[in-house]
């Protein structure tokens, strides 16, 4: 049977990907060293748990989905995915391998579980998808991945409670896959920020979200989207990707490692690795 | 703070309806040929997407808040900012 080895959650911003591409992680001018310094430990953990597949939980940034058709939840079910030009020039083309058998199994299981997720046989990632992959695999040797996308763009938005339950349903879907596979969750988004407003960062709220997500995620599930916007800014909603990755794990988790650093451009930058608590 | 997330509680349907053409135009700018077309003749490009007079004026103002006032969704703002020379990332 497939099993979940744990969840990594991290902020994404275009600057993170660019910094990695230019190998400027230690550049004092950028001031991002404390954030990047936390990632060797994450990569070490990934090597230890040795996943076969990643479920990449991200939010699209008005790239793969326009408002013509905006599902609440979507899963990529294609054999491969690409990266995208998100409006400021085409990046060097990349192809990401997937596991369509597992992806379709997840889609089927979710729908049986009353999560009517949209299936996508084409999907192109903006930095929301690629940043987290670059943090974990700076050499681009990414293992197969299955993207799960949640709507943080156009209200009405799925509630935090629903999003937490989506994580639980994903956990159940993976637990019922007959093949012996180790599956890791990788969530990417947040923390507090609002596009176009520099400095709209709520450090206290970010700290609360990280701690509570690990120890008492039900409390996060009780928020409304508006609560999150009021405290964490409009794009603070991207934190809900973390809630999916947490929902896939059991009630009790250990935090393997974490970091909080601000600002990363205009964003409160967080990372947290969680795995099932030792019993 | 005056933060207004388009369409959160209460859902502002007028703004969603008004903003659709502007957001659709924003999305189109993920293609290089469309960015070039916009930059070659901004007015013609906006007309092609059927932007209202108010939306055209908002884009010309280059002001984030003015564009939001006619329904621009944040996730499409960076794409318009980029093509109008405002710099910065196209999304975040
Ligand atoms: Fe984002």
């Amino acid at each position: 049977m497939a099993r979940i080895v744990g969840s990594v959650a991290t902020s994404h911003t275009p600057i993170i990907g660019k910094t990695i591409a230019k190998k400027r992680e230690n550049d004092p001018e950028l001031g991002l060293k404390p954030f990047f310094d936390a990632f060797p430990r994450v990569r070490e953990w990934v090597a230890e748990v040795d996943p076969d597949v990643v479920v990449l939980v991200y939010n699209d940034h008005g790239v793969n989905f326009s408002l013509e058709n905006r599902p609440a939840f979507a899963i990529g079910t294609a054999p491969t995915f690409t990266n995208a030009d998100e409006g400021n020039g085409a990046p060097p083309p990349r192809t990401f391998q997937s596991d369509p058998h597992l992806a379709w199994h997840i889609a089927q299981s979710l729908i049986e579980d009353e999560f009517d997720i949209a299936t996508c046989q084409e999907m192109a990632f903006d930095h929301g998808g690629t940043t987290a992959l670059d943090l974990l695999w700076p050499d681009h040797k990414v293992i197969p991945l299955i993207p799960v996308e949640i709507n943080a763009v156009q209200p009405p938005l799925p509630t935090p409670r629903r999003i937490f339950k989506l994580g639980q349903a994903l956990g159940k879907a993976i637990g019922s896959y007959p093949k012996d596979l180790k599956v890791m969750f990788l969530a990417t988004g947040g923390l507090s920020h609002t596009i176009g407003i520099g400095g709209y960062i709520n450090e206290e709220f970010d700290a609360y979200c990280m701690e509570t997500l690990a120890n008492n995620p039900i409390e996060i599930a009780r928020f409304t989207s508006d609560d999150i916007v009021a405290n964490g800014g409009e794009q603070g909603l991207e934190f809900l990707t973390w809630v999916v990755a947490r929902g896939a794990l059991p009630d009790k988790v250990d935090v393997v490692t974490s970091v909080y650093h601000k600002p990363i451009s205009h964003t409160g930058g967080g990372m947290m690795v969680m795995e099932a608590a030792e019993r | 703070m005056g933060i207004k997330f388009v369409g959160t509680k209460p859902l502002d349907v007028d703004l969603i309806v008004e903003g659709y053409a502007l957001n659709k135009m924003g999305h189109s700018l993920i293609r290089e040929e469309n960015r070039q077309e916009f930059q070659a003749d901004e007015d013609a490009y906006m007309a092609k997407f059927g932007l209202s007079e108010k939306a055209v004026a908002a884009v010309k103002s280059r002001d984030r808040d003015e564009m939001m006032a006619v329904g621009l969704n944040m996730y499409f703002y960076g794409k318009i900012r980029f093509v109008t020379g405002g710099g910065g990332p196209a999304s975040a």
Side-chain angles (χ1 to χ4, degrees):
Chain A
M1 299 299 264
R3 65 182 177 90
I4 297 169
V5 294
S7 294
V8 178
T10 177
S11 299
H12 61 232
T13 65
I15 191 94
I16 295 174
K18 276 181 211 150
T19 303
I20 296 169
K22 291 182 184 151
K23 297 197 174 14
R24 288 180 65 193
E25 292 95 329
N26 296 326
D27 191 333
E29 206 183 304
L30 296 176
L32 300 177
K33 190 174 183 317
F35 182 74
F36 286 111
D37 277 353
F39 279 85
R41 174 66 190 114
V42 183
R43 293 192 284 270
E44 195 183 281
W45 176 84
V46 172
E48 278 164 28
V49 298
D50 190 25
D52 301 299
V53 183
V54 173
V55 175
L56 177 70
V57 187
Y58 83 110
N59 65 287
D60 182 68
H61 292 69
V63 175
N64 191 72
F65 296 104
S66 64
L67 300 185
E68 285 156 275
N69 191 342
R70 182 54 268 199
F73 303 122
I75 183 168
T77 47
T80 59
F81 304 99
T82 60
N83 58 344
D85 179 341
E86 53 192 280
N88 51 1
R94 291 170 72 180
T95 303
F96 301 92
Q97 302 299 316
S98 186
D99 180 339
H101 292 279
L102 178 57
W104 282 106
H105 166 84
I106 292 172
Q108 172 95 30
S109 174
L110 286 176
I111 289 195
E112 282 168 11
D113 230 352
E114 301 175 357
F115 275 90
D116 304 321
I117 196 163
T119 50
C120 303
Q121 300 209 56
E122 283 184 40
M123 217 171 190
F125 305 144
D126 55 52
H127 75 280
T130 57
T131 300
L133 298 170
D134 290 349
L135 283 164
L136 267 54
W137 293 280
D139 57 4
H140 288 196
K141 289 187 181 128
V142 183
I143 63 174
L145 63 89
I146 295 169
V148 171
E149 200 273 342
I150 64 172
N151 174 22
V153 173
Q154 170 72 71
L157 303 170
T159 64
R161 182 183 301 277
R162 182 77 176 147
I163 279 169
F164 183 64
K165 286 183 180 171
L166 172 67
Q168 292 177 317
L170 283 164
K172 198 170 137 190
I174 288 157
S176 67
Y177 191 58
K179 227 169 130 182
D180 268 327
L181 281 181
K182 287 172 284 180
V183 180
M184 185 189 107
F185 277 72
L186 177 56
T188 152
L191 294 170
S192 57
H193 67 297
T194 291
I195 297 173
I197 302 184
Y200 194 76
I201 290 176
N202 186 341
E203 189 173 354
E204 205 182 316
F205 182 66
D206 289 344
Y208 166 84
C209 283
M210 288 175 70
E211 219 245 276
T212 311
L213 185 69
N215 300 321
N216 191 15
I218 295 296
E219 203 172 299
I220 303 278
R222 288 195 196 109
F223 282 145
T224 65
S225 297
D226 284 331
D227 291 335
I228 294 177
V229 171
N231 288 288
E234 294 171 16
Q235 279 63 50
L237 283 167
E238 297 180 350
F239 169 65
L240 292 172
T241 59
W242 294 41
V243 178
V244 175
R246 175 65 183 90
L249 298 179
D251 288 350
K252 295 246 174 294
V253 297
D254 289 329
V255 174
V256 178
T257 185
S258 71
V259 70
Y260 184 77
H261 178 74
K262 74 169 175 86
I264 300 181
S265 48
H266 59 309
T267 302
M271 174 277 291
M272 188 157 68
V273 179
M274 295 168 281
E275 62 182 11
E278 305 266 351
R279 272 153 223 269
Chain B
M1 210 35 227
I3 294 282
K4 188 170 169 64
F5 184 61
V6 176
T8 41
K9 208 162 48 183
L11 206 60
D12 193 334
V13 176
D14 290 333
L15 210 51
I16 290 174
V17 171
E18 184 178 7
Y20 180 64
L22 180 57
N23 289 316
K24 187 169 176 171
M25 183 185 84
H27 181 258
S28 75
L29 299 172
I30 65 171
R31 295 186 205 296
E32 178 60 28
E33 64 271 25
N34 293 342
R35 291 193 289 269
Q36 281 176 16
E37 195 181 325
F38 179 99
Q39 283 169 334
D41 189 344
E42 188 173 324
D43 288 290
Y45 197 77
M46 288 194 275
K48 195 165 119 179
F49 281 83
L51 262 56
S52 68
E53 251 172 66
K54 266 165 70 188
V56 169
V59 172
K60 293 200 165 187
S61 78
R62 308 296 196 242
D63 184 82
R64 169 190 176 277
D65 292 341
E66 299 232 348
M67 287 187 260
M68 283 185 71
V70 292
L72 179 67
N73 182 293
M74 293 295 282
Y75 284 93
F76 300 102
Y77 162 64
K79 304 177 205 322
I80 292 176
R81 181 180 57 186
F82 182 82
V83 85
T84 53
S91 53

